[in-house]
Amino acid sequence: MNEDNVVPFDPAARGGMARRGSPDKRGGVPGETVQVECPECDAVLSLDRAVLALNPEILCAGCDATIAVGS
């Protein structure tokens, strides 16, 4: 191994933000998602507000039930 070709890992430079749940991994700004509970299996689904504006039918990943979401 040639040390000239290796970039050292610096955990301080990452600042702890590269783990699951960090803002850059979640995508979007907090508050742009809405949580909907499946009436069949009580699974909690997180949906983007822009999708909800389309009045879609959502397929639950837990039980394959179709959930009519809309106003």
Side-chain angles (χ1 to χ4, degrees):
M1 174 174 74
N2 184 349
E3 292 197 24
D4 293 332
N5 295 331
V6 176
V7 177
F9 176 74
D10 183 11
R14 295 177 75 175
M17 295 304 293
R19 58 184 170 260
R20 185 180 306 165
S22 64
D24 62 330
K25 300 293 181 192
R26 284 192 315 250
V29 178
E32 289 187 3
T33 60
V34 175
Q35 292 186 341
V36 177
E37 187 173 306
C38 176
E40 300 292 325
C41 70
D42 296 326
V44 178
L45 310 169
S46 294
L47 305 172
D48 187 64
R49 285 187 193 270
V51 172
L52 291 178
L54 301 173
N55 295 329
E57 288 186 343
I58 306 297
L59 183 64
C60 177
C63 67
D64 290 332
T66 302
I67 306 167
V69 180
S71 48

